[in-house]
Amino acid sequence: PDQSTKHCRRPVCSRGVTTMLCALVWSVIILVLVAEPSAQGSHPEQIVVGKAKPRPERKYFIYDVNPGEGFNLRRDVYLRAANTVKRLREKDPAWILVLPAWPHSYHWKSDFTQEKIPWRQFFDVEKLNEYVPVMEFEDYLREHGPYIQQLYYLQNFPWKNGDEWNERISPAACTDQPRYYQQDKGYWLGHFSGYNEVIVDKFQCVSVLGTATLLDDFILQNHDLISVFVDRLESLLHFRFGETEYWAVSISITY
């Protein structure tokens, strides 16, 4: 090779190609190789336990509702979740709200795939962030990995008209068959916004009667809790429905 190409390897650069052109070719190759792993990482279902690196300054409040619920109730339960996270942040600002992906709705007749739909498909997520910090569930998987430390499955306390109304929350035996099961290694598997690779370390049915404020101390009493999933959050009522905080979070939901 002559002096202009002696540092280039064949067959990328043949005789007569300038050094500048060689440098350009290799720059493109390097950019492709660097970009390829990030493209693969854009699919949370490919994440392997232990690969993600959780951010130690964050704690994650994840929630979901009864699978058969429609759009309006899911939107309404978001208000309760956001209010809860705001109260948690008043005592520990590390808490962030994780938004469950939207599943198939029986009311939707569209032809597009109705699974793992992110909130940004419907709402202005940046506007949601003005009330409390939020993140999509798929982003949680990328940041934290497919692992949840604690799952609380809410169920109603037995109560009938005429009984005295006393708000209460207590771990209890499951009254119905939950949609989660324990595998041989001890981890819990089940339905997590359509992401079947998610595993849970600890599972507990919890009986509740009252407003979402019952969760505040119940969660904060476990100082080692980093990620908590509260399923069937619709079982808890709004705290001070129609008052200041209710409307403050309501106006943050824009389409």
Side-chain angles (χ1 to χ4, degrees), residues 8-138:
C8 299
R9 296 182 179 180
R10 296 179 181 178
V12 175
C13 296
S14 61
R15 185 171 298 177
V17 179
T18 64
T19 303
M20 182 176 295
L21 183 56
C22 284
L24 179 60
V25 171
W26 279 105
S27 296
V28 172
I29 293 174
I30 292 172
L31 286 173
V32 171
L33 292 175
V34 170
E36 186 177 1
S38 61
Q40 292 176 346
S42 64
H43 302 286
E45 62 270 15
Q46 296 178 354
I47 295 176
V48 179
V49 175
K51 295 297 183 182
K53 296 181 179 179
R55 294 175 56 174
E57 72 276 15
R58 281 185 172 179
K59 296 182 178 181
Y60 307 90
F61 181 93
I62 316 162
Y63 76 98
D64 208 346
V65 302
N66 181 29
E69 301 297 348
F71 186 91
N72 286 334
L73 183 131
R74 290 178 178 275
R75 178 187 176 278
D76 184 77
V77 173
Y78 166 79
L79 307 181
R80 308 175 209 182
N83 284 154
T84 298
V85 170
K86 184 172 184 181
R87 292 191 303 271
L88 293 176
R89 287 176 57 81
E90 290 173 355
K91 298 181 179 180
D92 185 348
W95 286 99
I96 182 171
L97 177 59
V98 179
L99 306 171
W102 292 74
H104 170 77
S105 173
Y106 300 105
H107 307 112
W108 296 343
K109 305 302 180 182
S110 302
D111 294 331
F112 68 87
T113 301
Q114 297 181 23
E115 290 295 338
K116 303 180 182 179
I117 304 174
W119 279 64
R120 62 179 176 271
Q121 189 80 15
F122 305 114
F123 304 103
D124 183 347
V125 176
E126 290 303 316
K127 187 69 174 178
L128 298 181
N129 270 288
E130 294 181 4
Y131 186 76
V132 291
V134 303
M135 68 189 308
E136 302 276 11
F137 189 71
E138 61 183 5

Side-chain angles (χ1 to χ4, degrees), residues 211-248:
T211 66
T213 55
L214 291 172
L215 290 174
D216 300 358
D217 292 337
F218 188 78
I219 290 175
L220 291 172
Q221 68 183 352
N222 187 346
H223 302 290
D224 297 326
L225 202 57
I226 300 298
S227 57
V228 58
F229 186 107
V230 180
D231 199 359
R232 301 300 302 272
L233 187 58
E234 78 279 2
S235 302
L236 289 168
L237 304 175
H238 283 284
F239 177 62
R240 294 180 178 174
F241 177 83
E243 296 190 11
T244 303
E245 287 302 320
Y246 173 86
W247 292 114

